[in-house]
Amino acid sequence: MRRKPSWAALEKAASERILIIDGAMGTMIQRHKLGEEHYRGERFADHSKDVKGNNDLLVLTQPKVIEGIHAEYLDAGADIIETNTFNAQRISLADYHMDELGYEINVAAAKLARSAADAATARTPEKPRFVAGAVGPTNRTASISPQVNDPGFRNVNFDELRDAYKEQVRGLIDGGADIILIETIFDTLNAKAAGFATLEVFEEKDLELPIMISGTITDRSGRTLSGQTAEAFWYSMRHLKPFSIGLNCALGAELMRPYIAELCHVADVRISAYPNAGLPNAMGEYDETPDEMACKVEPWLADGLINVIGGCCGSTPDHISHIANHAKNYKPRTPTKLEPRLRLSGLEPFVHG
């Protein structure tokens, strides 16, 4: 199967330094204070349903805003920027009666990120930039019932997720993404559908991209929403042979560290982390300053835990700039070499031998 030339460049960069991934897209969009009319633009002026909050739609209606945010993160030191496609699949878009736009939005989003990344690389060719096609978890879960009185009920199944993800991944690849990033995983079955769909698209196109996987530990229980520990989650996903495994969202750096350390002990691939800028306050806002956040992740870097670092909710280009300035002083983690053993997972890991 063919590989894009950017794969070799990504491997080279990752062997030389800790890579920086960008920060929150939603946080930056909020700063623009866009109203319903901005989200609609001319094309969707007469759409039947309100669309404010459909941030992915902005790649069609406000492309300059989105490309400008990408440029800010690149200027702050990001090596990897994520496409504005977190909810850009037909399952989530159906909430806005826009499910037919999935492929188009992903192509447009990848092209915007591609343009910004290429412009930054042209200015400093010694530091290539990469576009990660962001594949979010959808707003449904295949493992958990949304009805408390009917635990066997599901409002989505594996094949529905798979089909939606295939359309999304096709769009991301056609738009020029270098990486497929399956992120903010709270339900491993959803992530498995995304991974299966991604591999199917690779086969269809005879083109393979690196896969990054990032799960979400939802609270201090140390488990994903569907109940897995970090180690069990890794064993569930390692068949995809990803470029990296890691965690993002839900927790700030202080609370996330034990679970990043857990992954470091069991994963024989690179480790990524992009925590929130602390925990939300009573108003749902994030108060951790760029300097505070960078100082909290620095021990991870000093202890050799990290290959890719960035920010999630509440983080801004200022946060990424501070993190990048700290990261340049440290070497990337060397992946663990593991003995061949039978490694299985349910909610808990099982290692035989």
Side-chain angles (χ1 to χ4, degrees):
M1 194 178 297
R2 295 180 299 119
R3 288 186 172 186
K4 290 184 68 171
S6 58
W7 189 323
L10 178 65
E11 292 278 0
K12 183 176 185 296
S15 68
E16 296 172 345
R17 64 182 187 275
I18 295 172
L19 298 181
I20 307 300
I21 195 167
D22 59 7
M25 176 62 73
T27 298
M28 297 301 292
I29 288 173
Q30 289 173 11
R31 290 185 170 188
H32 287 268
K33 301 187 183 301
L34 303 175
E36 178 70 21
E37 69 279 9
H38 299 104
Y39 277 82
R40 286 175 175 265
E42 293 183 8
R43 178 176 170 183
F44 302 102
D46 298 324
H47 189 66
S48 62
K49 188 174 179 64
D50 287 349
V51 295
K52 183 179 178 180
N54 184 4
N55 288 346
D56 304 310
L57 180 63
L58 295 173
V59 302
L60 301 181
T61 58
Q62 301 294 331
K64 290 183 179 179
V65 169
I66 301 303
E67 190 166 5
I69 293 170
H70 288 320
E72 288 187 66
Y73 278 121
L74 289 162
D75 290 343
D79 298 287
I80 301 170
I81 56 171
E82 299 180 53
T83 56
N84 183 41
T85 54
F86 186 77
N87 287 303
Q89 29 59 35
R90 61 175 53 250
I91 292 172
S92 298
L93 289 170
D95 287 353
Y96 299 95
H97 299 172
M98 289 184 161
D99 40 306
E100 77 283 355
L101 294 177
Y103 175 80
E104 182 183 355
I105 287 175
N106 281 279
V107 172
K111 286 183 175 179
L112 287 174
R114 177 83 276 146
S115 175
D118 289 349
T121 299
R123 291 193 296 270
T124 53
E126 72 281 0
K127 185 183 178 184
R129 273 52 162 225
F130 307 94
V131 173
V135 176
T138 82
N139 54 4
R140 299 187 182 187
T141 170
S143 294
I144 303 172
S145 172
Q147 297 184 7
V148 67
N149 294 321
D150 187 359
F153 176 76
R154 298 292 184 271
N155 59 3
V156 72
N157 62 45
F158 186 93
D159 285 334
E160 290 170 336
L161 288 165
R162 166 195 172 193
D163 290 343
Y165 281 131
K166 285 182 72 172
E167 184 177 50
Q168 180 174 25
V169 171
R170 284 192 197 102
L172 292 169
I173 294 175
D174 290 347
D178 301 299
I179 301 161
I180 298 300
L181 170 58
I182 302 171
E183 65 168 345
T184 321
I185 300 163
F186 57 81
D187 185 336
T188 304
L189 189 55
N190 286 42
K192 281 182 171 290
F196 189 75
T198 298
L199 296 183
E200 285 193 308
V201 176
F202 289 171
E203 290 287 344
E204 289 174 6
K205 293 184 172 293
D206 188 32
L207 179 65
E208 184 180 16
L209 274 59
I211 298 173
M212 296 176 65
I213 297 172
S214 185
T216 295
I217 299 298
T218 52
D219 54 35
R220 297 192 188 197
S221 69
R223 296 176 183 269
T224 64
L225 185 64
S226 55
Q228 284 190 307
T229 65
E231 182 177 356
F233 168 67
W234 162 236
Y235 294 154
S236 293
M237 302 304 298
R238 66 195 297 261
H239 65 282
L240 292 174
K241 300 179 180 178
F243 172 83
S244 66
I245 184 76
L247 300 173
N248 74 289
C249 205
L251 304 175
E254 286 182 320
L255 295 178
M256 187 182 284
R257 174 171 173 139
Y259 314 117
I260 289 293
E262 184 178 349
L263 286 176
C264 284
H265 289 304
V266 298
D268 53 357
V269 298
R270 297 173 182 86
I271 298 295
S272 70
Y274 43 116
N276 291 345
L279 295 178
N281 60 27
M283 302 300 293
E285 297 177 347
Y286 295 84
D287 299 324
E288 200 162 84
T289 68
D291 183 62
E292 288 172 340
M293 187 175 183
C295 288
K296 287 179 179 179
V297 301
E298 185 168 20
W300 303 5
L301 312 175
D303 292 343
L305 303 181
I306 294 295
N307 299 97
V308 182
I309 187 74
C312 202
C313 300
S315 61
T316 67
D318 286 341
H319 290 83
I320 297 306
S321 177
H322 277 70
I323 290 171
N325 285 334
H326 285 253
K328 66 184 180 183
N329 299 317
Y330 300 98
K331 295 181 180 180
R333 169 183 177 267
T334 300
T336 302
K337 292 184 178 180
L338 301 176
E339 295 180 4
R341 290 183 181 178
L342 176 65
R343 292 176 169 86
L344 304 175
S345 65
L347 299 184
E348 306 282 347
F350 173 79
V351 180
H352 179 70

